Amino acid sequence: MGKYSWSKLMFLTMLIMVLALAACGGGSSEETSEEEGSGDTGSEESTEEGSEEGSEEGSDDSASGDVYNYEDFNQTVSNDGEVSEGGTLNVGLTSDTPFEGTLNFNLYQGNPDFEVISLFDEPLMSMDEDFQYTNDGAMTYEVNEDDNTVTFTMQEGVTWHDGEPVTIDDYVYSYEVIGHPEYPGIRGATDGFTLIEGYDEYKSGDAEEISGIEVEDEYTATFTYKELAPSLTAGGFWAYAMPEHHYEGVEIADMAEAPQTRENPLGMGPYKVDSITPGEAVVMSKYEDYWRGEPNLDGVELTVVSPSSIANALETGEVDVAINFPTDQYPDVEGMEGVEWLANIEGAYTYIGFKLGEWNEDEGRVDYKPEEMKMGDKELRRAMWHAMDNDAVGERFYNGLRWKATSLITPYHANWHDDSLEVPEYDPEKANQILDEAGYEDTDGDGFRETPDGEPLEINFASMSGGDTAEPLANYYIQSWKDIGLNVQLTNGRLIEFNTFYDMVENDDPEVDIYQGAWGVGSDVDPYGLYGPDVPFNYPRYATEESTQLMEEGNSPEAFDVEQRQEIYNEWQALMVEEMPVVPTLYRSYVVPVNERVANYSIELGYNEETLPYNWGVTETE
């Protein structure tokens, strides 16, 4: 389901694709298209969520003036009654569109598919609240730093839904599929794959197998890595098996469209698929031979429900749990009878990005050239940060369920986020002073400042169209900058449709000087996948030796020392405040409504067997 502990964690480990969560507005808590899937590593898997305003947050005239704090909500349902035998859990997947139907963790791309898969399949490894793999799953691991190897051991007695045993070959097979030259998916480019000896040769087609993977017996395999990196144990190891026997005879290039994926998907979770209405619904029954024990529920039925109808479906009892519930609707329905609201922090942040260079396609690297770019002056960027009152934005637009951001490492990574970081506070007088001292003056009396060279300064701001919040929020920032004498105008004079927006941002369109975006972060705290010098997702095109060195040190073998890694990332966070290639604006939380009859359901981070899906239940007979 996506929002139960370990699966949710895995979901946030992968990148998948840029999506319209919207930079500041955005849809449901995890609508990131998919980026986040399960498994590739950490922040590389993070995903840019569209500039905002996607589908979610409400307008600036919200029906409720109340301000909420996600920390005041429970993360686990309070229903502690005796669970009835059997019963069906009705799950509503909030979505404007059908799920695609690529129902395999190794092949899917969109978040809706992820949510469906997570009900009948599961990761082999669990995670703790600090996003580190534990040995509580169906597979354990042991790291040997002396020879750069990791030994994976599958438990005996774990079976696929057709009764066939899950073996170590099924785990190795997932690497062989994802690494294959004809693999049709989007995974396989992170440390968990590329650091394996022989993986690159296999990926390029120069080798028929991955030399660094050695199967010892039916349940054990040893992986040899070029080097061990901290990211491996924080989401880098791929966490999913793939049933090799189920795909026998299917070409890898055809797997995503094969009946084995779309019509008869096979998992190892507590519920097995009985029937699929393509794009609309999935009926699942309990798998009695589930390796942890027989599930409490008779089954789970998932139905796609539009955002405009999801609240009514909850109120009438048609839906027991709503995945991806639009957070902006919460203030209007918080008092709904028979529903308990859970909330937690989301692994994401919104930001204002400044174009500081271009992408060099030939070299596959950022061409950082601030001296040639309109926004290259740090003092100009600093003044713009001082002009934004993001405390007010969080309260006015999001009723407190989003709040002012300070660092590019979010409090979602609680042990890595530096909450002592000093950042520019909202202070228009200070902003004006900075601009005055930097030579930005209104020399022609038109109310707007010119550059220190006396040239007109017109700043083009790209912001995405979407929900009710998109336009008022963009206008708020434009007015804030106007109040300090900066002439900021919407690129093309209007909000920009999602696909066009990202075409412009990714291709470094000269009509984009600044833009409003959002990133979902992975399970690993490593920010390299967003700000490394050789990654296309480095949209501000920022790259300095100091930043790159810190990020590389943060994921080096020496950084297995947690305290040392924390020191490195604290230094990087401080550098980003000093350099300001982007200004973080808001952190996010999400809400999940659950019918009061549901027991043992949780969205807490970290492994807790009591709230795993096989223990879900209801406290009354349907």
Side-chain angles (χ1 to χ4, degrees):
M1 151 154 313
K3 284 197 175 131
Y4 53 87
S5 62
W6 39 278
S7 246
K8 167 87 161 61
L9 293 181
M10 293 306 304
F11 168 72
L12 289 176
T13 95
M14 228 196 90
L15 162 103
I16 298 201
M17 204 170 79
V18 178
L19 210 169
L21 243 193
C24 292
S28 57
S29 121
E30 336 255 356
E31 238 320 80
T32 164
S33 156
E34 195 7 320
E35 109 176 286
E36 310 195 352
S38 247
D40 264 344
T41 310
S43 20
E44 314 199 43
E45 307 287 62
S46 313
T47 96
E48 237 288 331
E49 299 154 16
S51 162
E52 273 38 192
E53 292 355 339
S55 42
E56 160 188 76
E57 318 278 335
S59 71
D60 60 334
D61 278 330
S62 31
S64 167
D66 294 333
V67 175
Y68 308 95
N69 185 329
Y70 81 94
E71 294 179 329
D72 295 332
F73 292 71
N74 289 334
Q75 295 177 12
T76 301
V77 295
S78 57
N79 180 2
D80 58 0
E82 184 176 352
V83 173
S84 303
E85 287 189 17
T88 299
L89 189 73
N90 298 305
V91 176
L93 174 58
T94 313
S95 178
D96 281 323
T97 60
F99 60 84
E100 182 179 310
T102 308
L103 302 182
N104 182 284
F105 275 130
N106 302 271
L107 301 166
Y108 84 99
Q109 297 192 24
N111 169 256
D113 282 353
F114 170 84
E115 302 290 2
V116 175
I117 302 166
S118 295
L119 289 171
F120 68 84
D121 202 0
E122 66 182 28
L124 295 169
M125 294 180 285
S126 56
M127 279 184 164
D128 63 21
E129 66 279 0
D130 199 29
F131 306 100
Q132 293 296 307
Y133 281 131
T134 70
N135 281 323
D136 299 301
M139 185 175 73
T140 61
Y141 72 96
E142 183 177 354
V143 177
N144 187 332
E145 295 185 34
D146 292 335
D147 60 5
N148 291 338
T149 63
V150 177
T151 299
F152 297 97
T153 303
M154 192 77 65
Q155 285 195 36
E156 297 186 33
V158 182
T159 60
W160 297 105
H161 292 155
D162 60 0
E164 290 293 316
V166 180
T167 70
I168 202 68
D169 286 328
D170 293 318
Y171 182 57
V172 171
Y173 185 59
S174 65
Y175 282 86
E176 293 173 339
V177 169
I178 291 173
H180 196 276
E182 295 183 3
Y183 170 62
I186 54 179
R187 298 163 184 84
T190 55
D191 286 352
F193 293 92
T194 60
L195 286 180
I196 301 173
E197 287 190 356
Y199 178 83
D200 292 339
E201 291 80 0
Y202 177 77
K203 183 74 172 177
S204 65
D206 294 330
E208 294 184 0
E209 60 184 20
I210 303 172
S211 62
I213 298 179
E214 181 179 355
V215 175
E216 310 286 351
D217 56 42
E218 189 175 2
Y219 295 100
T220 310
T222 299
F223 286 37
T224 301
Y225 295 84
K226 301 168 189 174
E227 67 175 15
L228 296 177
S231 63
L232 293 176
T233 59
F237 302 141
W238 184 240
Y240 301 103
M242 189 168 182
E244 185 173 10
H245 69 282
H246 189 58
Y247 285 91
E248 185 176 357
V250 180
E251 296 292 332
I252 290 177
D254 299 329
M255 285 181 172
E257 302 298 326
Q260 289 89 334
T261 300
R262 295 183 168 272
E263 300 171 16
N264 183 33
L266 197 61
M268 52 173 282
Y271 307 102
K272 57 186 176 69
V273 174
D274 292 334
S275 64
I276 299 174
T277 302
E280 298 179 10
V282 181
V283 176
M284 289 161 267
S285 61
K286 69 178 177 181
Y287 181 52
E288 296 182 358
D289 295 327
Y290 176 59
W291 68 279
R292 293 185 190 269
E294 183 177 344
N296 288 325
L297 295 167
D298 288 331
V300 175
E301 296 185 6
L302 176 140
T303 304
V304 174
V305 183
S306 70
S308 62
S309 302
I310 190 64
N312 182 66
L314 284 161
E315 190 168 25
T316 60
E318 297 173 41
V319 165
D320 295 313
V321 178
I323 300 174
N324 292 345
F325 184 86
T327 306
D328 66 315
Q329 294 186 23
Y330 172 74
D332 297 323
V333 296
E334 61 166 323
M336 185 184 298
E337 292 185 6
V339 170
E340 180 175 10
W341 294 89
L342 309 180
N344 207 342
I345 190 169
E346 183 179 350
Y349 62 91
T350 61
Y351 69 94
I352 300 296
F354 302 97
K355 283 294 188 177
L356 303 176
E358 297 175 345
W359 179 254
N360 187 320
E361 186 68 36
D362 293 336
E363 297 183 6
R365 297 183 64 83
V366 164
D367 182 9
Y368 175 57
K369 47 183 181 182
E371 65 285 348
E372 299 179 24
M373 306 300 290
K374 190 180 297 184
M375 307 309 300
D377 185 348
K378 285 194 295 186
E379 296 309 299
L380 174 59
R381 304 197 297 272
R382 190 181 311 280
M384 294 180 74
W385 193 337
H386 276 297
M388 294 183 285
D389 187 355
N390 286 311
D391 280 320
V393 170
E395 294 181 4
R396 180 183 182 190
F397 292 91
Y398 305 114
N399 295 89
L401 293 174
R402 295 189 182 182
W403 62 99
K404 182 180 72 173
T406 55
S407 167
L408 299 184
I409 293 180
T410 82
Y412 180 72
H413 290 107
N415 291 330
W416 306 96
H417 171 71
D418 184 359
D419 58 8
S420 67
L421 199 63
E422 294 186 6
V423 303
E425 299 292 339
Y426 173 61
D427 189 341
E429 290 186 11
K430 179 67 172 177
N432 278 311
Q433 178 185 344
I434 290 171
L435 292 172
D436 289 344
E437 293 177 354
Y440 294 89
E441 300 178 354
D442 179 11
T443 58
D444 59 10
D446 66 351
F448 293 116
R449 297 173 183 268
E450 277 70 50
T451 70
D453 295 329
E455 299 296 325
L457 177 61
E458 296 181 355
I459 300 172
N460 294 311
F461 175 35
S463 192
M464 190 182 300
S465 60
D468 293 337
T469 310
E471 186 170 6
L473 184 58
N475 288 340
Y476 165 77
Y477 284 129
I478 290 172
Q479 184 61 50
S480 297
W481 295 319
K482 180 179 180 181
D483 290 344
I484 60 171
L486 295 177
N487 183 11
V488 180
Q489 54 195 3
L490 288 174
T491 295
N492 298 339
R494 55 180 172 76
L495 298 179
I496 304 171
E497 176 270 335
F498 173 76
N499 291 317
T500 302
F501 175 91
Y502 274 106
D503 282 344
M504 297 180 76
V505 171
E506 292 172 358
N507 294 315
D508 302 318
D509 191 298
E511 293 302 312
V512 177
D513 300 314
I514 65 176
Y515 64 95
Q516 185 172 200
W519 281 114
V521 299
S523 58
D524 184 28
V525 67
D526 179 16
Y528 191 96
L530 301 180
Y531 300 104
D534 54 356
V535 294
F537 286 108
N538 184 340
Y539 290 149
R541 309 312 186 199
Y542 166 83
T544 66
E545 290 185 8
E546 184 176 5
S547 174
T548 299
Q549 180 178 344
L550 286 171
M551 289 188 290
E552 290 177 346
E553 291 177 353
N555 198 34
S556 66
E558 292 73 21
F560 271 104
D561 181 320
V562 172
E563 290 186 1
Q564 180 174 345
R565 198 180 195 207
Q566 287 174 328
E567 291 177 3
I568 292 169
Y569 285 138
N570 283 350
E571 189 174 345
W572 184 82
Q573 290 175 77
L575 177 66
M576 290 303 95
V577 172
E578 173 62 28
E579 295 287 312
M580 293 166 293
V582 307
V583 170
T585 54
L586 297 172
Y587 296 137
R588 308 170 177 222
S589 58
Y590 63 95
V591 296
V592 179
V594 184
N595 191 292
E596 290 180 348
R597 77 189 189 103
V598 177
N600 303 330
Y601 185 87
S602 179
I603 59 171
E604 66 183 345
L605 300 179
Y607 173 80
N608 182 348
E609 184 164 355
E610 293 182 359
T611 57
L612 294 180
Y614 84 107
N615 275 326
W616 293 345
V618 294
T619 55
E620 62 183 41
T621 303
E622 293 181 290

